[in-house]
Amino acid sequence: HLYGQSYGGILAFEYLKRVAERKKMNENGRDDDARCLSVILSSTPTSVSLVEETATRLLDAIKSEEDEKETRNDENNGEDDESDAAGAGENKKKQDNESNNEQILESFRQRHQCRTPSIPQPLSDAYSHAGTVWRGTTAIPDYVAKPPSDGVPRMPSAMIMRGEHDFVTQECMEGWKKR
């Protein structure tokens, strides 16, 4: 049995597809490969560009919410940017913007990645040991899962799953039904 989460799910699918395609080409009729009975693809998108678009849309929604809150707070506090000293106002805006961006990313994490107030230590440890070259979608920006070539023997059964609030939405995973 094989489990792949996110990028690991893409690797699992591509590996199993290659094994199935290799079996098709194996003329001796022997099954020399260890048999994978099933695969679980967890929060695994079929298209990197689609999941990027989805994450951007979700981030933009959070930014809009934060902007609305900030506007309401400014109106309630009666703040007037013109009353700031020339340089101090710009510096404060820059600091506020950086703080706002951090808050937006934290809100995104809590809504769509790990819905806990703080990152659990095992997850934090895993992130700190993640690679650099193959980390993130910039390593595979044009990836779209393609079905195995024609005549390939049946691939293992698959369970496709995702978290209810995951940024890898149902739309991002619909393509697995066609593969």
Side-chain angles (χ1 to χ4, degrees), residues 109 114-127:
R109 181 196 67 78
C114 181
R115 294 177 62 89
T116 58
S118 60
I119 298 175
Q121 193 60 48
L123 182 57
S124 181
D125 292 345
Y127 280 149

Side-chain angles (χ1 to χ4, degrees), residues 69-140:
K69 284 181 197 174
E70 188 175 314
T71 300
R72 282 193 306 272
N73 286 340
D74 288 350
E75 289 171 356
N76 291 337
N77 294 332
E79 289 186 15
D80 185 2
D81 290 338
E82 293 176 22
S83 66
D84 286 332
E90 287 303 313
N91 193 27
K92 183 177 180 332
K93 282 183 184 179
K94 184 177 179 182
Q95 288 174 342
D96 288 349
N97 192 33
E98 289 174 7
S99 176
N100 192 34
N101 285 340
E102 289 174 14
Q103 178 59 38
I104 289 167
L105 292 174
E106 180 60 14
S107 292
F108 181 85
R109 181 196 67 78
Q110 286 187 20
R111 290 183 194 185
H112 304 294
Q113 288 177 310
C114 181
R115 294 177 62 89
T116 58
S118 60
I119 298 175
Q121 193 60 48
L123 182 57
S124 181
D125 292 345
Y127 280 149
S128 71
H129 290 95
T132 55
V133 175
W134 294 103
R135 184 176 183 151
T137 56
T138 56
I140 52 169

Side-chain angles (χ1 to χ4, degrees), residues 1-22 36 38-48 140 143-150 152-160 172-179:
H1 304 285
L2 186 59
Y3 175 85
Q5 197 272 330
S6 190
Y7 181 68
I10 291 172
L11 293 176
F13 171 75
E14 291 298 329
Y15 168 76
L16 292 171
K17 184 170 76 170
R18 297 302 182 290
V19 167
E21 290 172 341
R22 198 171 346 124
C36 179
S38 67
V39 62
I40 297 172
L41 302 180
S42 175
S43 298
T44 303
T46 56
S47 166
V48 168
I140 52 169
Y143 178 80
V144 176
K146 293 178 178 45
S149 52
D150 291 338
V152 168
R154 185 178 172 273
M155 289 180 57
S157 297
M159 176 192 297
I160 312 299
C172 294
M173 296 179 67
E174 279 296 313
W176 292 122
K177 292 179 181 178
K178 300 172 189 165
R179 284 153 188 81

Side-chain angles (χ1 to χ4, degrees), residues 57-72:
R57 181 177 45 79
L58 294 169
L59 271 169
D60 287 346
I62 293 170
K63 286 177 189 174
S64 292
E65 290 172 18
E66 293 298 320
D67 288 346
E68 287 175 22
K69 284 181 197 174
E70 188 175 314
T71 300
R72 282 193 306 272

